[in-house]
Amino acid sequence: METLTALGHGFAVALTPYNLIWAVLGVTVGTAVGVLPGIGPALTVALLLPITYNLDPTAAFIMFAGIYYGAMYGGSTTAILLNTPGESGSIVTAIDGHAMARQGRGAQALATAAIGSFIAGTIATLALTFVAPALVRVALLFGPAEYFALMVLALTTVTAVLGNSLVRGLASLFFGLALGLVGIDLQTGQARFSLGIPELLDGIDVVVVAVGLFAVGETLYMAARNRYETEEIYALKGTKWLGKEDWKRSWKPWLRGTALGFPFGALPAGGSEIPTFLSYLTEKRLTKHPEEFGNGAIEAVAGPEAANNAAAAGTLAPLLSLGLPTSATAAIMLAAFQQYGLQPGPLLFESNPELVWGMIASLYIGNVLLLVLNLPLVGLWVKLLTIPKPWLYAGILVFATLGTYTLNNNVVDLVILWIIGLVGFGMRTLDIPVAPCVVGLILGPLAEQQFRRALAISQGDASVFFTQPIALALLVIAAALVLVPVVLRRRRRNAADPAVSGG
């Protein structure tokens, strides 16, 4: 009952004309960036961080949430019509969605993706409404040792889960932790790694790093790859609505995709890729038309798209209640909280209930807005694909540079932005994930504070991290995230060797 009352207050906040305008703007921008290949929600939120600096935090996060959800919707358009997933969660959609487009059924693929996204988004937001407060009640038991262990888990999560290589993830994380050390040590007053530059005594602004890595670095990488790629857009033909048989074959995959997407999104090792692949495999096993899979089966679009959107809502549960990012976009939203001096977690529900519940309520509103925007206006969104890429990339770079300068009117910020941007370009070229760097920069100093506080309370006894049950459990999970994949790979390699030698 308490949760429903808080949600009611959230709707009162989200439905004010001022916040409603930001919600509409967020879902519109989100759909547009989802449609444009390579311009994902993480890049967009990073790009908007400087210009939302003076905006009311509640309005800003309502817009960011709209961008996140909108990009999940829009990503399917590119995957289906262009065979280029706008988001990693749309990779599976491209297989059968694009096959449907080649058969002249692109409109039906887009319709089942939009309706499935609406149903999954709404059910998953309902789950978020009740799961997040439950996680908060657990987090209220935390002391400094538990918070330090939780931050170790957060750092391990983004390092082990995002990217294809643990070593590359760790390299990115340590780069972020090193950036987080720059500035004055709050306990000793000593300057660290400031290189004698006065502007660095306050540390490196996380917004500058986020914009540099996600906007400048990512855009340079896409621009460098652009000339090697050819694109063929399939036009929409015939009716744009689902037939009776399409409805019959779609509704069960929508519900099964939702059931898979939300829990995987909420898990530290979840994300949107695993539930979409699981949904595809589940539908392939349960369908009466297995021969159509890979050649344009509507179930293969309906299930993964539902799982994709449900996972997005699931990602917000650990982010809001524990401050635990499980995706690149969640890492950038963590940077956005940092921009306003806020720390996601149990205290955020008590200190800023309007922001948290207004944002959750805006997700329900955003889902309705996205259904209205996507189904009738799909032809309009497709036209975005005809924007010349050089114009798009040049616009992003100019926007990122001007936005960063307006933060402090400081040239040093611009120098850092472009150095970090070039580093980000190099990281993307070498397939090093950039999200662990941003999370390391944000959580590194906080983890250091909690570590020192825990040791001060225990009078220097380091066993405090292993004698508290919650702290120990979190550290064991963090260790498992790093060690289990290594052990499994080694066992698979050992199992494969005799077969190879035998062959």
Side-chain angles (χ1 to χ4, degrees):
M1 193 62 195
E2 189 182 330
T3 301
L4 292 177
T5 306
L7 183 63
H9 288 306
F11 271 107
V13 172
L15 286 172
T16 58
Y18 180 74
N19 287 331
L20 211 49
I21 289 171
W22 288 107
V24 173
L25 184 65
V27 295
T28 308
V29 172
T31 305
V33 300
V35 169
L36 293 168
I39 316 290
L43 188 156
T44 310
V45 174
L47 198 61
L48 291 174
L49 286 179
I51 65 166
T52 56
Y53 198 73
N54 295 318
L55 191 66
D56 170 54
T58 305
F61 279 97
I62 284 176
M63 182 176 68
F64 292 153
I67 289 172
Y68 193 13
Y69 260 33
M72 293 296 120
Y73 272 68
S76 60
T77 305
T78 325
I80 291 167
L81 298 182
L82 204 61
N83 199 23
T84 306
E87 270 292 295
S88 57
S90 301
I91 292 172
V92 179
T93 307
I95 302 170
D96 282 75
H98 192 61
M100 288 179 72
R102 289 200 304 270
Q103 296 165 9
R105 282 174 45 78
Q108 284 69 39
L110 288 170
T112 195
I115 298 170
S117 296
F118 168 74
I119 292 172
T122 304
I123 295 174
T125 306
L126 195 64
L128 169 68
T129 305
F130 292 96
V131 168
L135 286 175
V136 164
R137 281 192 284 278
V138 174
L140 283 173
L141 303 172
F142 287 13
E146 286 82 3
Y147 269 117
F148 170 74
L150 179 66
M151 287 172 189
V152 170
L153 176 61
L155 294 169
T156 310
T157 298
V158 289
T159 304
V161 175
L162 302 179
N164 300 319
S165 162
L166 179 63
V167 175
R168 293 190 185 107
L170 285 172
S172 177
L173 174 67
F174 284 120
F175 179 52
L177 290 173
L179 291 177
L181 290 174
V182 175
I184 294 177
D185 182 347
L186 294 177
Q187 289 203 346
T188 64
Q190 294 291 317
R192 299 190 297 196
F193 306 108
S194 60
L195 306 175
I197 302 172
E199 285 82 355
L200 293 182
L201 290 175
D202 289 334
I204 296 177
D205 196 322
V206 67
V207 175
V208 176
V209 175
V211 175
L213 288 176
F214 280 90
V216 177
E218 190 72 23
T219 305
L220 291 175
Y221 177 73
M222 287 186 298
R225 282 166 48 93
N226 185 50
R227 60 196 170 117
Y228 300 110
E229 295 174 350
T230 55
E231 296 173 346
E232 185 181 0
I233 304 170
Y234 281 81
L236 298 176
K237 301 172 185 174
T239 178
K240 294 180 181 175
W241 302 103
L242 292 178
K244 187 178 174 183
E245 181 66 15
D246 293 330
W247 280 99
K248 189 178 170 185
R249 291 176 59 176
S250 292
W251 72 272
K252 286 181 182 174
W254 290 335
L255 297 179
R256 285 193 286 261
T258 306
L260 283 170
F262 182 81
F264 272 95
L267 285 173
S272 61
E273 296 86 352
I274 296 173
T276 51
F277 275 99
L278 281 178
S279 172
Y280 183 87
L281 294 174
T282 304
E283 298 310 323
K284 190 175 181 180
R285 181 164 293 182
L286 295 176
T287 184
K288 295 176 182 173
H289 312 278
E291 73 284 356
E292 291 184 17
F293 271 68
N295 300 309
I298 196 166
E299 299 95 326
V301 180
E305 273 303 306
N308 182 12
N309 268 62
T315 300
L316 293 176
L319 177 68
L320 290 176
S321 53
L322 301 174
L324 193 68
T326 56
S327 72
T329 310
I332 287 295
M333 289 184 77
L334 191 63
F337 277 108
Q338 185 89 354
Q339 172 178 261
Y340 290 104
L342 302 170
Q343 177 62 34
L347 296 179
L348 189 67
F349 278 74
E350 288 183 4
S351 60
N352 287 281
E354 286 195 353
L355 188 155
V356 175
W357 289 106
M359 181 177 161
I360 292 175
S362 77
L363 297 177
Y364 290 96
I365 299 165
N367 262 313
V368 177
L369 291 172
L370 282 165
L371 192 65
V372 174
L373 278 175
N374 275 264
L375 275 182
L377 301 180
V378 65
L380 183 68
W381 297 119
V382 171
K383 288 182 180 173
L384 286 176
L385 296 172
T386 61
I387 295 176
K389 296 291 170 55
W391 295 11
L392 192 65
Y393 300 150
I396 291 173
L397 293 178
V398 171
F399 200 65
T401 306
L402 289 176
T404 302
Y405 183 72
T406 57
L407 280 176
N408 302 307
N409 295 332
N410 191 339
V411 177
V412 175
D413 281 346
L414 291 185
V415 175
I416 295 172
L417 172 77
W418 277 91
I419 290 174
I420 295 287
L422 291 172
V423 171
F425 171 67
M427 290 169 73
R428 287 289 282 120
T429 306
L430 297 172
D431 197 22
I432 298 174
V434 292
C437 177
V438 174
V439 175
L441 173 61
I442 298 170
L443 293 188
L446 295 174
E448 183 188 2
Q449 280 180 27
Q450 298 293 351
F451 179 78
R452 285 175 163 181
R453 196 172 295 164
L455 284 182
I457 291 172
S458 66
Q459 298 180 331
D461 183 5
S463 67
V464 68
F465 299 109
F466 307 102
T467 51
Q468 305 291 331
I470 296 176
L472 180 63
L474 292 170
L475 289 174
V476 167
I477 295 171
L481 277 173
V482 174
L483 297 176
V484 169
V486 175
V487 172
L488 289 178
R489 268 199 301 273
R490 182 162 295 177
R491 286 185 63 180
R492 276 199 298 269
R493 198 179 304 141
N494 291 340
D497 276 348
V500 172
S501 58

